[in-house]
Amino acid sequence: MADQFTDLELEQKLGELKAREDSTDDNLFLAIKDINSLFIVDGIIGRGKFGEVYAAQRKSDDLNIALKVLDPATWGKGENSAVKDLDLTSREVRSWQAVNGSAYFPQLYGAYSVRNQLGSKNYIALERIKGKTLAQCLEDRIKEGRAYNLEEAREIVLEVAKGLKVIHSLGYLHRDISDTNIMLDDCGKVKITDIGGMKEIDEKAMHSTNIHTPGYAALETLVGDYSEQSDIYALGYLYKQGELCS
């Protein structure tokens, strides 16, 4: 996996993204009858704004994965709920497809749809990162009385910035950078793990529903205005105000 896409890889990625704009949302998911036919699903390992994440194992090759459950029943409220559900689930899959192949994000292994008389659920199979969120790492270090030093903090922030560069170069905004959406694996490598709120950089994304973590939000995002600068602001907060270093 590459840290940054080469010019040729970026051109190919942008071409793929453009082609996917013309594909139907149904093509994003592999329709199956039962998720348990493909995976052994264990306990929950995380919760985000758009779903729950479970530890799972792929039956075909025993690969350990993180299985994210996107449950429309928990989102659609009021008018046009079906449209909102489809938009949210499809958008998240497209976001993972966009960054797939970059070392700063978990790898995407597949997206699945289960629909039956009880309703519908969509699943995303992702690389399971062995490590902790940056928030957990900070909490552990504070308990131990050893905050990150300036050099360590700069290295973490630089790696997150490189991940944001990937997102922005593909024409997207992250919109929710925070210490809970960043993981450090067992080797200390940075992974940006929650991209459910990612949207394309266009007028609609720059004036859209609020998605942010309190404290990390630039003032303009409180009224739904987002830009690349809002992502950079959140990164700055992580460094200066988020107790990343003493």
Side-chain angles (χ1 to χ4, degrees), residues 54-241:
Y54 291 80
Q57 190 176 60
R58 192 164 61 187
K59 289 183 176 181
S60 61
D61 58 4
D62 297 330
L63 178 70
N64 291 323
I65 65 160
L67 189 65
K68 187 166 186 178
V69 183
L70 305 173
D71 187 355
T74 65
W75 304 340
K77 307 296 180 185
E79 270 188 72
N80 299 320
S81 61
V83 175
K84 293 176 185 176
D85 296 340
L86 182 61
D87 177 61
L88 285 168
T89 54
S90 301
R91 189 178 72 203
E92 175 144 4
V93 174
R94 292 181 192 277
S95 296
W96 284 112
Q97 288 176 335
V99 300
N100 203 35
S102 168
Y104 296 108
F105 304 87
Q107 295 304 289
L108 172 68
Y109 294 126
Y112 307 90
S113 177
V114 175
R115 291 181 173 84
N116 52 41
Q117 64 273 21
L118 299 177
S120 65
K121 280 189 179 180
N122 297 306
Y123 300 82
I124 302 177
L126 299 165
E127 175 187 4
R128 194 195 308 178
I129 306 300
K130 294 182 179 179
K132 296 181 178 180
T133 67
L134 184 53
Q136 292 170 326
C137 292
L138 286 168
E139 185 178 352
D140 290 346
R141 281 180 169 253
I142 289 171
K143 287 179 181 177
E144 296 165 3
R146 55 182 192 96
Y148 288 104
N149 62 42
L150 194 59
E151 185 66 27
E152 290 172 324
R154 284 177 175 171
E155 183 61 27
I156 291 171
V157 169
L158 178 61
E159 292 298 288
V160 178
K162 290 177 179 177
L164 282 176
K165 182 180 178 181
V166 170
I167 291 174
H168 294 165
S169 69
L170 291 167
Y172 282 82
L173 302 173
H174 186 278
R175 304 199 301 159
D176 195 19
I177 288 293
S178 72
D179 57 5
T180 58
N181 291 337
I182 297 165
M183 286 191 72
L184 298 180
D185 69 16
D186 289 347
C187 297
K189 298 292 185 182
V190 165
K191 299 281 186 177
I192 299 175
T193 56
D194 193 343
I195 61 174
M198 215 169 88
K199 290 192 78 173
E200 292 179 72
I201 302 174
D202 56 19
E203 193 64 22
K204 185 178 178 180
M206 298 173 88
H207 303 282
S208 56
T209 305
N210 290 353
I211 296 178
H212 59 260
T213 299
Y216 290 84
L219 289 177
E220 65 271 15
T221 67
L222 300 180
V223 292
D225 289 343
Y226 291 87
S227 67
E228 294 99 321
Q229 286 74 29
S230 351
D231 283 345
I232 300 303
Y233 178 93
L235 183 60
Y237 180 87
L238 178 72
Y239 181 59
K240 293 295 289 182
Q241 303 296 330

